[in-house]
Each structure stands twice: as C-alpha cells, then as structure tokens.
C-alpha cells in the first residue's frame, strides 16, 4: 500500500530528529572528552611550572592588590627575597608536613614581600606535589571539611632573609596565614604574614578570621589577614594562568 504524504513527512521528521540526537550525543561526548583531556594537560603542565616558569612570573617583583586591604584599600607589595628551591623537610612545621605527606613534595618555592610602608612582611609559598588529580581532590576536600587551613598548629613557616625587613620574621612572628590546596593543579599555595619590626605574636589568626567584620585582634587591625589572603589568591591565579594561558590572571 503506498504511504500517504502525511506519513512520509512524519517519518522524515523522525529520521532527522533521530540523527540530530545521535549527532548531538556524539558531539557532547567529544566535547566532554576534549575538556577532560585539556584538564589533564593543564594538570601535567602545572607539575612542571616549578622549573619551567620564570621566577618573575611565579613571584613578580611587584604585586598590586586592588581593593585588597581593609575597607577595600589598594595595596602594593615589593619582593625582597626569593628562597632557593628546596624540599619541604625544614620549610614546614612537622605536623603540616605530615598532613600534606599523601600528596608528596616535589619542590617548594618561596618568596618574601614587604608593603609600601615596610611595616609588614609576607612569605608566599608554592608547594608542587607529586600527586595525581584524585589525591589532590581528596586532600582539598579534607582541608575544607576539617578546616585544617585554620588550625594554628598547621601554620606555614615564613622565609626570613638577612639584610631585608624580613630578617626577623620567624615562627614566633607569624600573625596571619592563608593556605589553599588546589585540585586542578598539583600544588598547594600559601601565604603567611607578620610585622616587619619582629614583634612576637601570641594570638595569630587565620586569614578567614582576621578579615571578618568586627575582628579586633592586632593581625586583623593591621590588615595582615587581608595581606595573607590577597597573596594566596593572586599566587593561585598566576599558577592557573601559567598552566592555562586563557585563564585570567589577577
């Protein structure tokens, strides 16, 4: 029996729709696979940054902090020292080193900055791990859920360089800190801040607390929490920009 024109047209529409769904599904699969491959490439590129990227890209001579201070004030910091690249054994408190141990330590890079008034100092650390993506994801989740980045016994150590405003910047001078475990790159980024006059701090505060509204501690009122947070955020953005050039660098 010959098909009616209406049935023939309906069959054609179904065929076109079916082909469209198949093609769309295939394209979606291709795009997902491409994105996954791109993320893997960026993760691998991140692992090589400690020896591939120029020091001035990892630690710029000057860091501009637009609205990075208390009350949205603009800040500027100048690099005063870069530590030789090293392992993590002596650069981290033993407890922090043990918590980060599952990721391994491939290399640790550090630099110390001072502000325009030379009244504060801050050390920025880039810890490149040996871990894969899942291990970094698990570690990031643990830090978030257990709030390990806010524990005083897990504060990063500063880098004090002789002949600079940071030469008295030791463990007892740590005032505030910020630490971020990345899962899109094999890296841990941190910053720890203090006063340049070498005063001892008995009540250091994590940046999350020192930047909260109404915080009245010395680190909070001096803006040292804002400093630690600003450097961690900007160092993280720089790493991502270097591993993926189309990522905006702050």
């Amino acid at each position: 029996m010959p098909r009616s024109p209406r049935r023939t047209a309906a069959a054609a529409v179904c065929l076109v729709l079916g082909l469209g769904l198949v093609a769309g599904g295939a394209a979606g699969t291709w795009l997902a696979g491409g994105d996954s491959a791109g993320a893997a490439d960026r993760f691998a590129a991140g692992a090589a940054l400690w020896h591939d990227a120029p020091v001035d890209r990892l630690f710029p001579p000057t860091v501009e902090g637009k609205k990075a201070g208390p009350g949205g004030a603009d800040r500027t910091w100048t690099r005063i020292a870069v530590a030789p690249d090293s392992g993590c054994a002596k650069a981290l408190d033993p407890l922090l080193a043990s918590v980060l141990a599952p990721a391994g330590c491939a290399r640790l890079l550090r630099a110390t900055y001072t502000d325009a008034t030379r009244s504060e100092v801050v050390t920025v650390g880039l810890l490149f791990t040996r871990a894969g993506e899942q291990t970094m994801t698990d570690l990031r989740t643990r830090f978030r859920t257990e709030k390990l980045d806010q524990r005083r016994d897990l504060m990063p150590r500063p880098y004090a360089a002789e002949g600079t405003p940071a030469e008295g910047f030791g463990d007892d001078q740590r005032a505030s800190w910020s630490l971020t475990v990345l899962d899109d790159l094999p890296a841990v980024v941190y910053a720890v801040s203090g006063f340049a006059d070498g005063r001892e701090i008995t009540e250091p505060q994590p940046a999350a607390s020192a930047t909260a509204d109404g915080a009245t501690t010395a680190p909070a009122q001096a803006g040292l929490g804002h400093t630690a947070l600003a450097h961690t955020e900007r160092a993280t953005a720089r790493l991502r920009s270097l591993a993926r050039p189309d990522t905006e660098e702050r």
Side-chain angles (χ1 to χ4, degrees):
M1 177 183 293
R3 292 186 178 182
S4 68
R6 181 177 297 178
R7 293 181 61 187
T8 301
V13 170
C14 290
L15 177 60
V16 171
L17 289 175
L19 289 173
L21 289 172
V22 171
T29 301
W30 180 83
L31 288 173
D35 183 68
S36 177
D41 289 343
R42 290 191 295 273
F43 193 90
L49 288 177
W50 70 267
H51 57 74
D52 285 353
V55 66
D56 285 351
R57 294 294 305 279
L58 294 169
F59 300 116
T62 301
V63 174
E64 298 291 341
K66 297 296 183 182
K67 299 183 179 180
D74 294 341
R75 304 291 304 278
T76 300
W77 297 274
T78 302
R79 191 183 71 200
I80 55 176
V82 177
D85 59 22
S86 68
C88 297
K90 296 181 179 180
L92 299 177
D93 281 345
L95 186 57
L96 178 57
S98 68
V99 172
L100 295 174
C105 176
R107 220 66 175 179
L108 177 62
L109 308 183
R110 295 173 294 163
T112 297
Y113 290 80
T114 189
D115 68 327
T117 65
R118 298 177 77 86
S119 62
E120 68 175 42
V121 286
V122 56
T123 291
V124 184
L126 306 177
L127 192 165
F128 293 90
T129 75
R130 302 182 186 278
E133 295 177 69
Q134 188 58 56
T135 299
M136 294 305 297
T137 297
D138 292 344
L139 187 62
R140 179 178 175 87
T141 299
R142 184 186 177 195
F143 264 77
R144 280 183 167 179
T145 57
E146 300 180 26
K147 297 183 178 179
L148 300 183
D149 58 333
Q150 299 184 40
R151 282 178 44 170
R152 292 181 186 175
D153 55 352
L154 295 177
M155 272 193 296
R157 281 178 171 167
Y159 172 63
E162 293 184 7
T164 74
E167 62 183 350
F169 190 21
D171 290 352
D172 293 336
Q173 284 69 43
R174 294 176 289 185
S176 189
W177 74 98
S178 175
L179 185 150
T180 298
V181 177
L182 305 185
D183 55 5
D184 56 338
L185 296 175
V188 177
V189 181
Y190 66 81
V192 55
S193 59
F195 294 100
D197 60 11
R199 76 183 73 173
E200 184 175 337
I201 304 298
T202 57
E203 296 291 332
Q205 265 193 314
S209 299
T211 58
D213 291 340
T216 59
T217 62
Q221 292 186 335
L224 292 173
H226 288 82
T227 293
L229 183 62
H231 278 278
T232 301
E233 290 178 344
R234 282 154 178 76
T236 297
R238 287 195 297 271
L239 283 185
R240 286 175 171 155
S241 178
L242 289 167
R244 178 181 179 180
D246 60 332
T247 299
E248 181 180 357
E249 185 175 342
R250 295 170 59 188

